[in-house]
Amino acid sequence: MDKIVFKDPILGSAFSEGIPRGSLVVFAGVPGVGKSVFIYNIVASLLKEGEKVVYTLFDEDPLNLASQLKLFNVNVDQFLEKETLILIDVFGASIPELESGLKIAATLTSIDPMECFRTIHRVIKEKGIKNQGLLVIDSLNEVILRYQPGIILDFIRNIRRLVKAYGLVCIATLHTGIPGLEQIYATIEYVSDCYVEFSFDPQLEELGIPLRRFRVKKLKGASHSLQWIPYTILRGGKISPVDLKSIVETVRSTMTKLRELTPQL
């Protein structure tokens, strides 16, 4: 199959034709909006379908990832042993003496972008991953906050060339909202094949209602929805769509009642 197609209703509605293999996908949004939960859902689904997942951890401990995936009924130890789930630990570069006890394909001793790229390339080549599978980079911020724009751009372009050469899909997370990095964010959006934007609805946020939403802002090689899709995260990490009209009607009704009560106060 030349695309990754999602059976999940909310992902399927956003990516109506799936994501073409060879695509660099960026999940961008402020911390806490739910980007990682989407990735956990995608990883769990692909592992159960027999696809290989190379998960590169920049700002998350491997043990924490394992505990999160177990919430999605993923037998982490089994997938690690079968080398269907393949971990590259960059997070441990700052504290190399700490061991996770998990089967790790590669542990880096620094966060140098070129070393990271070479390691990712080597692992993909050694594991024979071709025309299938997913590469996760979580997240790009560790590189962005440490290196100059030219080095950042080279790293991202190299990753894009790599996934096209091997026929993988790469999903990289990008935590936005950091002042002074707007130009970097715009450049990453420009060089990506797919850019998925996550945010809180600004109008409802002003009313104290933190409604999460996402949209596929850009996707090369496949049709997709451009609409914002509101969602909530249920127990166990299940992503569920939200009826925005119902929320708006409830807010309007509440505001009307408050206005009616105002003269009495």
Side-chain angles (χ1 to χ4, degrees):
M1 189 180 294
D2 60 349
K3 295 184 179 73
I4 288 180
V5 178
F6 300 110
K7 296 178 181 177
D8 179 87
I10 195 166
L11 287 168
S13 65
F15 299 96
S16 55
E17 293 186 355
I19 300 177
R21 297 189 189 275
S23 298
L24 171 60
V25 181
V26 176
F27 280 9
V30 295
V33 77
K35 302 183 297 295
S36 294
V37 176
F38 272 76
I39 289 182
Y40 299 150
N41 274 277
I42 293 170
V43 168
S45 176
L46 291 179
L47 286 173
K48 292 170 186 177
E49 292 173 11
E51 298 234 16
K52 292 190 175 184
V53 175
V54 178
Y55 207 115
T56 310
L57 300 113
F58 276 89
D59 54 14
E60 184 173 21
D61 183 89
L63 284 174
N64 184 59
L65 172 64
S67 65
Q68 291 296 324
L69 290 178
K70 287 175 183 177
L71 296 176
F72 294 83
N73 297 316
V74 173
N75 189 329
V76 174
D77 293 330
Q78 179 181 339
F79 283 119
L80 287 173
E81 190 59 35
K82 291 167 58 180
E83 295 192 336
T84 310
L85 176 60
I86 301 161
L87 303 182
I88 299 176
D89 182 11
V90 189
F91 179 84
S94 58
I95 319 177
E97 61 272 15
L98 293 180
E99 296 184 2
S100 66
L102 298 171
K103 184 176 182 180
I104 307 292
T107 301
L108 277 74
T109 56
S110 75
I111 308 178
D112 174 75
M114 186 52 66
E115 182 186 352
C116 293
F117 169 73
R118 290 192 184 113
T119 301
I120 293 169
H121 186 189
R122 174 177 58 79
V123 169
I124 289 172
K125 187 175 181 180
E126 287 178 353
K127 305 304 179 183
I129 305 172
K130 184 79 172 177
N131 298 323
Q132 63 100 28
L134 174 72
L135 168 65
V136 178
I137 297 178
D138 188 16
S139 69
L140 292 172
N141 289 68
E142 283 296 320
V143 175
I144 290 171
L145 294 173
R146 294 169 183 264
Y147 293 93
Q148 296 298 317
I151 295 174
I152 298 166
L153 187 58
D154 285 345
F155 174 72
I156 294 170
R157 282 178 169 165
N158 283 337
I159 292 294
R160 186 166 180 257
R161 292 189 191 103
L162 179 68
V163 297
K164 289 189 181 303
Y166 284 86
L168 285 76
V169 168
C170 172
I171 299 179
T173 58
L174 176 65
H175 306 308
T176 59
I178 302 173
L181 296 181
E182 293 81 6
Q183 189 61 45
I184 295 293
Y185 298 150
T187 301
I188 292 173
E189 179 180 346
Y190 175 76
V191 301
S192 67
D193 297 295
C194 174
Y195 194 84
V196 184
E197 188 175 7
F198 293 77
S199 73
F200 292 98
D201 186 293
Q203 293 180 324
L204 291 176
E205 195 171 24
E206 288 182 1
L207 299 174
I209 303 173
L211 179 65
R212 296 177 170 99
R213 62 181 190 167
F214 81 102
R215 66 170 175 169
V216 182
K217 190 175 182 181
K218 165 187 173 182
L219 174 60
K220 295 179 180 178
S223 63
H224 61 95
S225 171
L226 289 169
Q227 300 297 316
W228 283 105
I229 301 174
Y231 67 93
T232 188
I233 300 171
L234 304 177
R235 182 174 296 180
K238 180 176 174 57
I239 302 166
S240 178
V242 171
D243 184 353
L244 183 57
K245 289 183 180 179
S246 176
I247 292 177
V248 171
E249 288 174 2
T250 300
V251 171
R252 284 176 178 170
S253 175
T254 302
M255 296 299 290
T256 299
K257 291 177 180 179
L258 287 173
R259 283 195 293 270
E260 291 173 351
L261 290 171
T262 299
Q264 303 175 22
L265 298 178

